[in-house]
Amino acid sequence: MAAGAALYYHTAAGKASLEAVAPSSPSLALRPSQSKVLCISSSRWWMRRRWEGKASSVSSRARARTSARPALFSPVAMDWQECTTELEVDVPCSVAYQCYSERETIPQWMPFISSVKVLEDKPDLSRWTLKYEVLGRDVEFSWLARNMTPIKNQKIHWRSLEGLRNRGAVRFFPKSSSSCRVQLTVAYEVPEILAPVASALKPFLESLLLKGLERFATFAKERNSKIPQA
């Protein structure tokens, strides 16, 4: 084919025709819709660059739309915090263990727990409700917890199954025949509403847990005083 020629296919006529065009002729541009360029000799490089440019433009627009599209299913990963406090209690390990095992009495001495209800048909499960003013915010959370297999007079531990995500353990260490050390550890996922004050949340909760253990010590001593001494 001559250097200045182009082959066109005319859909209306149903045949191909060879036309001579000057290198600078406007005919090198795409013809109207009734004609389709099958091949071009001297202008092949120009046509390839034109289509590559269109493809690049479409690809760029697609990438822009993709980057602008919001992530619909990107979960928000919240931080976990762990608090530990302990206190010496003037009762034997067996008494402290028994008092802490009675979960429905916990609201009597733990300041931020408003209710605990043990499920009648599944005594290892219990529903908890927390209501308290936390760093100037009134909060209320609930969860279903499962007590894991305990070690008598040594350890009680649990984890939540639904609701506020948390887990923890209470350990009892004998100090003497009439006293023990109670260690309470609670780990929890920082609720989104409290994320802005997460740095202050841990020391705040640790102070509440210690206050709870101090009230627990009084509760356990009163209970122990009612136990007949051998």
Side-chain angles (χ1 to χ4, degrees):
M1 182 177 295
L7 180 64
Y8 288 88
Y9 179 80
H10 296 273
T11 54
K15 60 182 180 180
S17 64
L18 183 65
E19 297 178 9
V21 294
S24 60
S25 170
S27 299
L28 289 178
L30 287 177
R31 293 222 169 189
S33 59
Q34 69 270 18
S35 301
K36 296 182 179 179
V37 178
L38 298 182
C39 64
I40 297 178
S41 57
S42 62
S43 59
R44 182 176 299 169
W45 175 87
W46 178 83
M47 291 298 296
R48 183 170 65 251
R49 289 298 300 271
R50 175 167 180 161
W51 283 110
E52 286 176 352
K54 287 187 175 181
S56 175
S57 177
V58 171
S59 177
S60 299
R61 289 197 298 270
R63 285 195 300 269
R65 286 196 299 268
T66 301
S67 61
R69 185 181 300 122
L72 298 179
F73 301 104
S74 55
V76 177
M78 302 303 293
D79 292 333
W80 277 75
Q81 291 185 348
E82 182 175 292
C83 301
T84 299
T85 188
E86 58 183 54
L87 186 71
E88 187 169 335
V89 182
D90 293 330
V91 298
C93 274
S94 58
V95 175
Y97 175 88
Q98 182 60 38
C99 288
Y100 218 111
S101 297
E102 299 171 0
R103 285 164 286 170
E104 292 187 345
T105 66
I106 290 178
Q108 297 182 34
W109 46 266
M110 186 57 77
F112 54 87
I113 300 299
S114 60
S115 68
V116 179
K117 178 63 177 178
V118 177
L119 275 61
E120 294 183 1
D121 56 337
K122 296 179 179 179
D124 61 323
L125 301 182
S126 52
R127 295 194 179 277
W128 296 61
T129 302
L130 178 157
K131 291 182 180 180
Y132 207 74
E133 182 179 322
V134 179
L135 302 174
R137 299 167 183 257
D138 291 327
V139 298
E140 179 175 353
F141 300 104
S142 61
W143 63 91
L144 177 68
R146 167 172 284 161
N147 267 31
M148 314 306 287
T149 304
I151 302 175
K152 188 175 182 180
N153 299 336
Q154 296 183 44
K155 181 182 179 182
I156 298 170
H157 57 130
W158 71 90
R159 63 181 179 89
S160 65
L161 301 179
E162 61 183 39
L164 180 66
R165 298 179 64 187
N166 68 92
R167 57 181 179 268
V170 189
R171 294 175 174 85
F172 306 89
F173 305 93
K175 297 287 291 182
S176 68
S177 59
S178 60
S179 66
C180 66
R181 179 166 55 90
V182 179
Q183 182 187 77
L184 172 59
T185 299
V186 177
Y188 55 93
E189 186 179 50
V190 178
E192 186 174 359
I193 189 176
L194 297 176
V197 294
S199 60
L201 185 58
K202 182 176 179 178
F204 175 79
L205 183 57
E206 285 178 337
S207 68
L208 285 181
L209 293 176
L210 181 57
K211 184 183 297 184
L213 284 186
E214 291 171 348
R215 294 170 63 175
F216 171 78
T218 301
F219 178 87
K221 285 178 67 174
E222 291 177 356
R223 174 70 63 86
N224 189 48
S225 66
K226 299 176 182 178
I227 298 177
Q229 302 300 318

